[in-house]
Amino acid sequence: MERTFVIIKPDAVQRGLIGEIVARFERRGLKIVGMKFMQVSEELARQHYAVHEGRPFFNGLIQYIISAPVVAMVLEGTNAIAAVRKTLGATKPAEAELGTIRADFGLEIGRNLVHGSDGPDTAASEIALWFGEDLVSWGRASDPWIFE
Ligand code: IDP
Ligand code: MG
């Protein structure tokens, strides 16, 4: 079973889309094992996006992610990392497939609503950075109907 890290970003929170977005992950069968509503500090934002430091959009990205609260989540499931990335859609909403979160709710790359880890290494480091050990392993009644 794989775990991945998700952020419902400030634009999605301000637009009242938390429930809509969480519902899509739940419907897909992903299990919530961590979730918090929080104001991101500039320090945490810079650590999370350290790989993008020096890019022209970096400062705008940091300001965006600290501009309003976010919902940080850890989701668990079979191939959770790839399943979440597919559910998010392409980074540029204009290129995202219809039916994905970014296509259904977004237009611009700088307001693309959600973050999802892009691989096993980033998932592990992002979960550690945002949640540490503060996760809940639990048996969900529907697990046998979702995981074979
Ligand atoms: P990802 O979120 O799909 O993994 P990345 O390339 O890792 O995409 O970029 C991280 C985030 O940085 C994007 O989700 C988006 O919010 C922002 N970003 C990336 N490229 C641009 C850009 O050219 N302009 C503005 N924001 C950008
Ligand atoms: Mg990325």
Side-chain angles (χ1 to χ4, degrees):
M1 212 52 73
E2 195 170 72
R3 285 178 172 176
T4 190
F5 174 69
V6 167
I7 307 171
I8 302 176
K9 295 180 180 180
D11 48 337
V13 172
Q14 288 282 14
R15 292 172 58 193
L17 295 172
I18 296 171
E20 169 73 41
I21 290 170
V22 172
R24 288 176 177 226
F25 295 128
E26 280 193 300
R27 270 199 318 244
R28 185 126 200 219
L30 292 155
K31 189 200 292 194
I32 298 167
V33 296
M35 185 161 167
K36 56 186 172 186
F37 183 72
M38 59 189 284
Q39 176 64 51
V40 180
S41 68
E42 183 170 336
E43 187 190 353
L44 176 59
R46 287 178 169 275
Q47 281 178 278
H48 175 76
Y49 281 124
V51 66
H52 295 300
E53 206 161 347
R55 304 253 176 96
F57 60 84
F58 182 72
N59 287 334
L61 175 58
I62 299 304
Q63 290 313 308
Y64 163 47
I65 226 70
I66 68 172
S67 64
V70 303
V71 177
M73 307 175 73
V74 179
L75 298 175
E76 183 179 280
T78 318
N79 299 316
I81 297 168
V84 164
R85 292 285 291 192
K86 281 270 188 190
T87 303
L88 305 191
T91 307
K92 293 181 182 171
E95 293 173 3
E97 300 279 351
L98 290 180
T100 64
I101 294 166
R102 285 166 168 171
D104 288 355
F105 300 107
L107 292 169
E108 296 191 14
I109 192 168
R111 296 288 182 270
N112 65 359
L113 301 132
V114 273
H115 165 83
S117 307
D118 62 10
D121 295 345
T122 48
S125 64
E126 290 171 1
I127 291 167
L129 176 65
W130 290 74
F131 282 87
E133 300 293 309
D134 197 10
L135 299 170
V136 181
S137 297
W138 58 295
R140 188 176 49 174
S142 58
D143 281 348
W145 303 100
I146 296 167
F147 307 130
E148 193 175 359

